């Protein structure tokens, strides 16, 4: 059972994990280096715990103590009870959901290990990885194809969180991030994903785009989403029914790098009308994941 500790000093060193949450550069340096991330809100905290992340501590306003009582009774980590004003002074913003938890990160697997073992994890406790009130779709049937997403240099945490949510909802087996991609465990990414980042196996590539060779070694076809006239449509790609498929999506604005496009086996586009030339990367990921889903999944 956790200790419930009332704190009234914003400078209390025990609250260090929660200081300056709106300072993106500070948190990007601190959190991976110190092996922590912040889960915000009751549902996200519960999903992080259900996914096996160890809790370091919780920061709760008074009205959330009873709501989180079962968690408080189960975890050994300290729980800091604070006023809404003090929470705002510590974090730098008004904590609308009233509940924050500092969680311990897990070691990331090597890319080859992830490709060898990854299968979509269904969050049976949360029930709905999308947060939209729908029952989770079943995992891939026996013998169904495997799909992996590569996100190249996506720097907007909201876009990355939304793309992870799409991956969870649409049955993507694993996500791989290039070295310069944003942190999927940053608070905003976790919040936008509704905790889906906890239920899609993921890791970081170390030498992109040379790491494309890892996919070939494991029998994957790589398909790069781009607007080039030489590309095939997403429906044409889906009709080829590749058993193992990697969908590569690029950064906001510029899309995939020239080197990534050169390394890909296929170029793919999403046909658009009304003079629209491109979609937001998160929206494009949803279309691509749905269109390429294994038939019968």
């Amino acid at each position: 059972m956790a200790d419930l500790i009332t704190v009234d000093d914003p400078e209390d060193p025990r609250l260090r994990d929660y200081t300056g949450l709106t300072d993106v550069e500070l948190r990007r340096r601190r959190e991976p280096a110190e092996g922590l991330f912040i889960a915000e809100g009751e549902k996200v905290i519960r999903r992080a715990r259900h996914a096996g992340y160890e809790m370091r501590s919780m920061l709760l306003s008074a009205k959330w103590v009873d709501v989180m009582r079962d968690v408080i009774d189960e975890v050994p980590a300290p729980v800091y009870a604070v006023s809404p004003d003090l929470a705002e002074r510590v974090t730098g913003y008004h904590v609308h959901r009233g509940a924050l938890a500092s969680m311990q990160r897990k070691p990331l697997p090597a890319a080859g290990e992830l490709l060898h073992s990854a299968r979509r994890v269904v969050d049976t406790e949360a029930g709905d990885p999308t947060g939209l009130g729908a029952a989770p779709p079943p995992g891939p049937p026996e013998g169904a194809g495997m799909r992996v997403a590569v996100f190249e240099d996506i720097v907007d945490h909201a876009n990355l969180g939304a793309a992870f949510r799409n991956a969870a909802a649409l049955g993507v087996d694993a996500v791989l991030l290039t070295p310069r991609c944003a942190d999927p465990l940053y608070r905003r990414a976790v919040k936008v994903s509704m905790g889906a980042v906890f239920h899609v196996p993921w890791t970081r590539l170390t030498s992109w785009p040379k790491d494309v060779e890892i996919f070939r070694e494991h029998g994957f076809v790589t398909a790069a989403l781009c607007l080039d006239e030489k590309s095939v449509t997403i429906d044409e790609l889906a009709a080829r029914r590749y058993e193992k498929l990697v969908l590569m999506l690029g950064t906001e604005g510029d899309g995939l790098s020239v080197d990534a496009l050169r390394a890909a086996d296929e170029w793919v586009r999403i046909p658009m009308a009304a003079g629209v030339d491109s979609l937001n990367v998160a929206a494009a990921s949803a279309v691509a994941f749905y269109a390429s889903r294994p038939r019968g999944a």
Side-chain angles (χ1 to χ4, degrees):
M1 180 180 296
D3 298 324
L4 185 61
I5 304 166
T6 300
V7 178
D8 55 15
D9 179 4
E11 302 299 325
D12 192 310
R14 293 174 294 183
L15 304 184
R16 184 177 184 275
D17 283 0
Y18 305 96
T19 57
L21 294 187
T22 58
D23 188 332
V24 178
E25 289 305 315
L26 171 66
R27 300 306 301 196
R28 286 174 63 182
R29 291 193 305 270
R30 274 193 58 196
E31 292 186 8
E34 297 178 20
L36 68 93
F37 68 92
I38 300 298
E40 180 178 4
E42 176 195 2
K43 289 183 179 180
V44 171
I45 292 171
R46 293 182 186 278
R47 289 179 180 182
R49 290 192 62 246
H50 181 62
Y53 288 92
E54 180 183 349
M55 185 179 292
R56 294 160 59 111
S57 66
M58 269 199 297
L59 184 73
L60 301 177
S61 58
K63 71 176 184 178
W64 285 93
V65 171
D66 287 341
V67 175
M68 302 298 292
R69 175 57 63 183
D70 60 318
V71 177
I72 294 171
D73 290 343
E74 291 173 3
V75 301
V79 179
Y80 303 116
V82 300
S83 67
D85 177 67
L86 187 136
E88 184 171 353
R89 293 171 67 188
V90 170
T91 64
Y93 73 105
H94 179 63
V95 186
H96 297 282
R97 287 177 170 83
L100 296 169
S102 174
M103 312 295 293
Q104 191 72 39
R105 290 177 183 245
K106 298 177 183 179
L108 292 177
E113 177 187 346
L114 187 68
L115 293 176
H116 180 72
S117 62
R119 270 301 183 188
R120 180 168 179 263
V121 178
V122 176
D123 180 8
T124 54
E125 179 177 284
D128 174 21
T130 68
L132 299 177
E142 189 70 24
M146 185 175 179
R147 289 173 309 146
V148 170
V150 171
F151 298 143
E152 182 189 62
D153 300 353
I154 297 177
V155 296
D156 184 277
H157 290 99
N159 280 338
L160 188 60
F164 261 90
R165 188 174 179 181
N166 295 338
L170 298 169
V172 170
D173 295 287
V175 170
L176 291 98
L177 309 177
T178 62
R180 292 186 294 183
C181 202
D183 180 10
L185 293 182
Y186 179 70
R187 176 179 60 87
R188 180 158 174 75
V190 172
K191 183 169 67 172
V192 171
S193 81
M194 290 294 292
V197 296
F198 307 139
H199 303 291
V200 180
W202 67 276
T203 196
R204 281 194 186 273
L205 299 164
T206 57
S207 184
W208 181 254
K210 293 181 181 178
D211 289 325
V212 163
E213 293 303 319
I214 298 174
F215 300 124
R216 295 198 175 102
E217 291 169 7
H218 286 78
F220 284 85
V221 171
T222 54
L225 269 75
C226 66
L227 302 175
D228 194 278
E229 61 183 16
K230 297 178 182 178
S231 60
V232 300
T233 69
I234 189 69
D235 289 333
E236 290 177 283
L237 178 75
R240 295 175 184 178
R241 296 177 179 262
Y242 290 120
E243 181 65 21
K244 292 184 173 181
L245 178 64
V246 175
L247 294 165
M248 297 162 49
L249 294 103
T251 186
E252 300 87 348
D254 293 333
L256 288 165
S257 65
V258 172
D259 288 341
L261 290 171
R262 287 173 178 166
D265 299 315
E266 301 269 14
W267 289 3
V268 187
R269 70 182 184 277
I270 298 172
M272 283 168 279
V276 177
D277 63 353
S278 64
L279 295 174
N280 166 276
V281 65
S285 74
V287 174
F289 297 159
Y290 180 79
S292 66
R293 72 196 185 283
R295 293 308 184 244

